[in-house]
Amino acid sequence: MQAPPELAAIHPLGKSPIVTDGALNIAESGAIVEYLIRKAGGRFGPPATEADWLRYSYFTHYAEGSLMPNLVILLVNMKLGPFGWPLRPMFKKRVRENLAWLEQEMAGRPWFAGETPNAADVMMSFALEFANALVGLKDYPNLTAWLARVHARPAYIAGLQRGGPTAYY
Ligand SMILES: N[C@@H](CCC(=O)N[C@@H](CS)C(=O)NCC(=O)O)C(=O)O
Protein backbone atom coordinates (compact mmCIF):
# COMPACT_ATOMS: atom_id res chain seq x y z
CA MET A 1 0.00 0.00 0.00
CA GLN A 2 3.02 2.30 -0.27
CA ALA A 3 3.18 4.91 -3.02
CA PRO A 4 5.78 4.22 -5.73
CA PRO A 5 9.14 6.00 -5.21
CA GLU A 6 8.59 8.07 -8.37
CA LEU A 7 6.11 10.20 -6.41
CA ALA A 8 8.79 11.18 -3.88
CA ALA A 9 10.76 12.65 -6.77
CA ILE A 10 7.85 15.04 -7.37
CA HIS A 11 7.00 15.90 -3.75
CA PRO A 12 8.99 15.00 -0.61
CA LEU A 13 5.99 13.30 1.04
CA GLY A 14 5.47 11.11 -2.03
CA LYS A 15 1.69 10.78 -1.72
CA SER A 16 -1.06 10.73 -4.28
CA PRO A 17 -2.91 12.62 -5.58
CA ILE A 18 -0.54 15.20 -6.98
CA VAL A 19 -1.11 17.53 -9.89
CA THR A 20 1.72 18.83 -12.01
CA ASP A 21 1.00 21.99 -13.97
CA GLY A 22 4.08 23.31 -15.71
CA ALA A 23 6.65 23.95 -12.99
CA LEU A 24 4.04 23.70 -10.25
CA ASN A 25 3.47 20.59 -8.16
CA ILE A 26 0.28 20.74 -6.15
CA ALA A 27 -0.28 18.12 -3.45
CA GLU A 28 -3.11 17.52 -0.96
CA SER A 29 -6.47 16.77 -2.54
CA GLY A 30 -8.27 19.76 -0.97
CA ALA A 31 -5.60 22.15 -2.22
CA ILE A 32 -5.67 20.48 -5.66
CA VAL A 33 -9.43 20.91 -5.87
CA GLU A 34 -9.14 24.59 -4.91
CA TYR A 35 -6.40 25.06 -7.52
CA LEU A 36 -8.51 23.45 -10.25
CA ILE A 37 -11.55 25.57 -9.33
CA ARG A 38 -9.39 28.68 -9.60
CA LYS A 39 -8.05 27.56 -12.98
CA ALA A 40 -11.59 26.84 -14.16
CA GLY A 41 -12.85 30.33 -13.32
CA GLY A 42 -14.79 29.20 -10.26
CA ARG A 43 -16.61 26.16 -11.71
CA PHE A 44 -17.46 23.60 -9.02
CA GLY A 45 -16.67 26.25 -6.41
CA PRO A 46 -18.77 27.51 -3.49
CA PRO A 47 -22.54 27.77 -4.01
CA ALA A 48 -24.33 31.11 -3.75
CA THR A 49 -26.47 30.84 -0.62
CA GLU A 50 -25.05 31.13 2.88
CA ALA A 51 -26.56 27.80 3.96
CA ASP A 52 -25.09 25.93 0.98
CA TRP A 53 -21.77 27.72 1.38
CA LEU A 54 -21.56 26.48 4.97
CA ARG A 55 -22.29 22.91 3.87
CA TYR A 56 -19.73 23.25 1.08
CA SER A 57 -17.06 24.48 3.49
CA TYR A 58 -17.89 21.80 6.02
CA PHE A 59 -17.89 18.81 3.67
CA THR A 60 -14.81 19.85 1.68
CA HIS A 61 -12.86 19.86 4.98
CA TYR A 62 -14.64 16.99 6.73
CA ALA A 63 -13.88 14.50 3.93
CA GLU A 64 -10.10 14.34 4.49
CA GLY A 65 -10.05 15.89 7.96
CA SER A 66 -12.50 13.61 9.75
CA LEU A 67 -14.06 10.89 7.62
CA MET A 68 -10.88 9.56 6.00
CA PRO A 69 -8.92 9.21 9.28
CA ASN A 70 -11.77 7.10 10.70
CA LEU A 71 -11.73 4.88 7.61
CA VAL A 72 -7.94 4.58 7.44
CA ILE A 73 -7.64 3.59 11.09
CA LEU A 74 -10.24 0.86 10.53
CA LEU A 75 -8.38 -0.33 7.42
CA VAL A 76 -5.08 -0.51 9.32
CA ASN A 77 -6.82 -2.35 12.16
CA MET A 78 -8.32 -4.86 9.70
CA LYS A 79 -4.87 -5.42 8.16
CA LEU A 80 -3.65 -6.46 11.62
CA GLY A 81 -5.96 -9.47 11.56
CA PRO A 82 -6.56 -10.97 15.03
CA PHE A 83 -4.17 -8.46 16.59
CA GLY A 84 -6.70 -5.77 15.68
CA TRP A 85 -9.71 -7.52 17.24
CA PRO A 86 -9.72 -5.71 20.63
CA LEU A 87 -10.12 -2.24 19.08
CA ARG A 88 -12.03 -3.17 15.91
CA PRO A 89 -15.56 -2.76 17.36
CA MET A 90 -14.73 0.79 18.44
CA PHE A 91 -13.30 1.74 15.02
CA LYS A 92 -16.26 0.13 13.22
CA LYS A 93 -18.68 1.98 15.49
CA ARG A 94 -17.03 5.31 14.64
CA VAL A 95 -17.29 4.60 10.92
CA ARG A 96 -20.94 3.57 11.28
CA GLU A 97 -21.72 6.75 13.27
CA ASN A 98 -20.27 8.89 10.50
CA LEU A 99 -22.10 6.99 7.75
CA ALA A 100 -25.42 7.08 9.63
CA TRP A 101 -25.11 10.83 10.09
CA LEU A 102 -24.15 11.37 6.42
CA GLU A 103 -27.14 9.26 5.42
CA GLN A 104 -29.43 11.69 7.28
CA GLU A 105 -27.64 14.69 5.82
CA MET A 106 -28.29 13.42 2.29
CA ALA A 107 -32.03 12.77 2.80
CA GLY A 108 -33.83 14.66 0.04
CA ARG A 109 -30.64 16.21 -1.30
CA PRO A 110 -29.10 15.45 -4.69
CA TRP A 111 -25.60 16.69 -3.73
CA PHE A 112 -23.75 17.56 -0.55
CA ALA A 113 -23.98 21.34 -0.89
CA GLY A 114 -26.62 22.74 -3.22
CA GLU A 115 -28.56 21.59 -6.24
CA THR A 116 -25.56 20.93 -8.49
CA PRO A 117 -22.36 18.96 -7.90
CA ASN A 118 -19.35 20.88 -6.66
CA ALA A 119 -16.05 20.44 -4.81
CA ALA A 120 -17.83 19.15 -1.69
CA ASP A 121 -18.99 16.13 -3.72
CA VAL A 122 -15.57 15.69 -5.31
CA MET A 123 -13.91 15.62 -1.88
CA MET A 124 -16.57 13.35 -0.40
CA SER A 125 -16.46 10.98 -3.38
CA PHE A 126 -13.06 9.49 -2.60
CA ALA A 127 -13.86 8.93 1.09
CA LEU A 128 -17.26 7.39 0.35
CA GLU A 129 -15.89 5.22 -2.47
CA PHE A 130 -13.37 4.02 0.08
CA ALA A 131 -16.12 3.44 2.68
CA ASN A 132 -18.10 1.51 0.09
CA ALA A 133 -15.11 -0.74 -0.62
CA LEU A 134 -14.26 -1.18 3.07
CA VAL A 135 -17.61 -1.69 4.81
CA GLY A 136 -20.24 -1.39 2.03
CA LEU A 137 -22.95 1.25 1.75
CA LYS A 138 -25.98 -1.00 1.27
CA ASP A 139 -27.44 0.08 4.64
CA TYR A 140 -27.29 3.70 3.51
CA PRO A 141 -29.66 4.17 0.55
CA ASN A 142 -29.19 7.95 0.30
CA LEU A 143 -25.41 7.56 0.12
CA THR A 144 -25.76 4.71 -2.37
CA ALA A 145 -28.00 6.88 -4.57
CA TRP A 146 -25.57 9.80 -4.32
CA LEU A 147 -22.67 7.53 -5.31
CA ALA A 148 -24.69 6.29 -8.31
CA ARG A 149 -25.21 9.94 -9.35
CA VAL A 150 -21.46 10.52 -9.05
CA HIS A 151 -20.75 7.42 -11.16
CA ALA A 152 -23.20 8.53 -13.85
CA ARG A 153 -21.49 11.87 -14.42
CA PRO A 154 -19.78 12.02 -17.83
CA ALA A 155 -16.67 13.57 -16.23
CA TYR A 156 -16.41 10.66 -13.78
CA ILE A 157 -16.76 8.14 -16.62
CA ALA A 158 -14.15 10.02 -18.68
CA GLY A 159 -11.80 10.08 -15.68
CA LEU A 160 -12.09 6.33 -15.21
CA GLN A 161 -11.44 5.73 -18.92
CA ARG A 162 -8.38 7.95 -18.76
CA GLY A 163 -6.96 6.68 -15.45
CA GLY A 164 -8.04 3.05 -15.47
CA PRO A 165 -9.93 1.09 -12.81
CA THR A 166 -9.67 2.18 -9.19
CA ALA A 167 -8.43 0.12 -6.25
CA TYR A 168 -9.18 1.62 -2.85
CA TYR A 169 -7.07 -0.73 -0.77
N1 LIG B 1 -4.80 14.04 2.93
C1 LIG B 1 -4.03 13.65 1.75
C2 LIG B 1 -3.87 12.13 1.77
C3 LIG B 1 -2.76 11.68 0.85
C4 LIG B 1 -2.58 10.18 0.99
O1 LIG B 1 -2.38 9.66 2.10
N2 LIG B 1 -2.62 9.45 -0.14
C5 LIG B 1 -2.50 8.01 -0.12
C6 LIG B 1 -3.41 7.39 -1.18
S1 LIG B 1 -5.07 7.82 -0.92
C7 LIG B 1 -1.10 7.56 -0.45
O2 LIG B 1 -0.44 8.18 -1.27
N3 LIG B 1 -0.67 6.45 0.17
C8 LIG B 1 0.56 5.81 -0.12
C9 LIG B 1 1.64 6.07 0.89
O3 LIG B 1 1.37 6.64 1.97
O4 LIG B 1 2.79 5.68 0.62
C10 LIG B 1 -4.78 14.12 0.50
O5 LIG B 1 -5.98 14.38 0.60
O6 LIG B 1 -4.18 14.28 -0.58
Side-chain angles (χ1 to χ4, degrees):
M1 295 178 68
Q2 298 296 293
E6 289 85 346
L7 276 179
I10 303 174
H11 186 284
L13 296 182
K15 303 270 187 196
S16 64
I18 188 154
V19 160
T20 302
D21 187 8
L24 284 177
N25 292 325
I26 301 120
E28 195 61 45
S29 55
I32 290 171
V33 163
E34 283 190 14
Y35 178 77
L36 294 177
I37 289 168
R38 196 175 152 95
K39 292 284 275 192
R43 280 186 66 215
F44 291 91
T49 71
E50 179 79 359
D52 286 342
W53 185 90
L54 281 169
R55 290 181 66 85
Y56 172 94
S57 175
Y58 182 85
F59 285 110
T60 52
H61 289 281
Y62 161 86
E64 281 294 312
S66 293
L67 182 54
M68 273 307 278
N70 278 300
L71 294 167
V72 169
I73 202 160
L74 175 60
L75 170 66
V76 171
N77 178 278
M78 286 163 76
K79 291 275 178 197
L80 290 175
F83 295 107
W85 284 348
L87 291 178
R88 195 163 308 160
M90 183 178 79
F91 294 145
K92 278 193 170 167
K93 179 170 169 280
R94 287 183 180 180
V95 166
R96 275 199 300 270
E97 280 169 0
N98 276 264
L99 295 177
W101 170 69
L102 290 169
E103 174 70 8
Q104 283 176 16
E105 283 296 313
M106 288 309 286
R109 293 179 185 278
W111 304 102
F112 271 96
E115 295 303 309
T116 53
N118 56 39
D121 301 285
V122 173
M123 290 302 294
M124 288 298 291
S125 68
F126 184 78
L128 285 176
E129 295 268 26
F130 184 33
N132 192 29
L134 194 63
V135 297
L137 291 181
K138 68 172 172 28
D139 294 338
Y140 310 97
N142 296 331
L143 299 182
T144 301
W146 169 84
L147 199 53
R149 282 191 285 280
V150 170
H151 289 169
R153 296 196 67 247
Y156 184 94
I157 295 165
L160 268 190
Q161 280 167 354
R162 184 103 179 251
T166 49
Y168 288 95
Y169 67 94

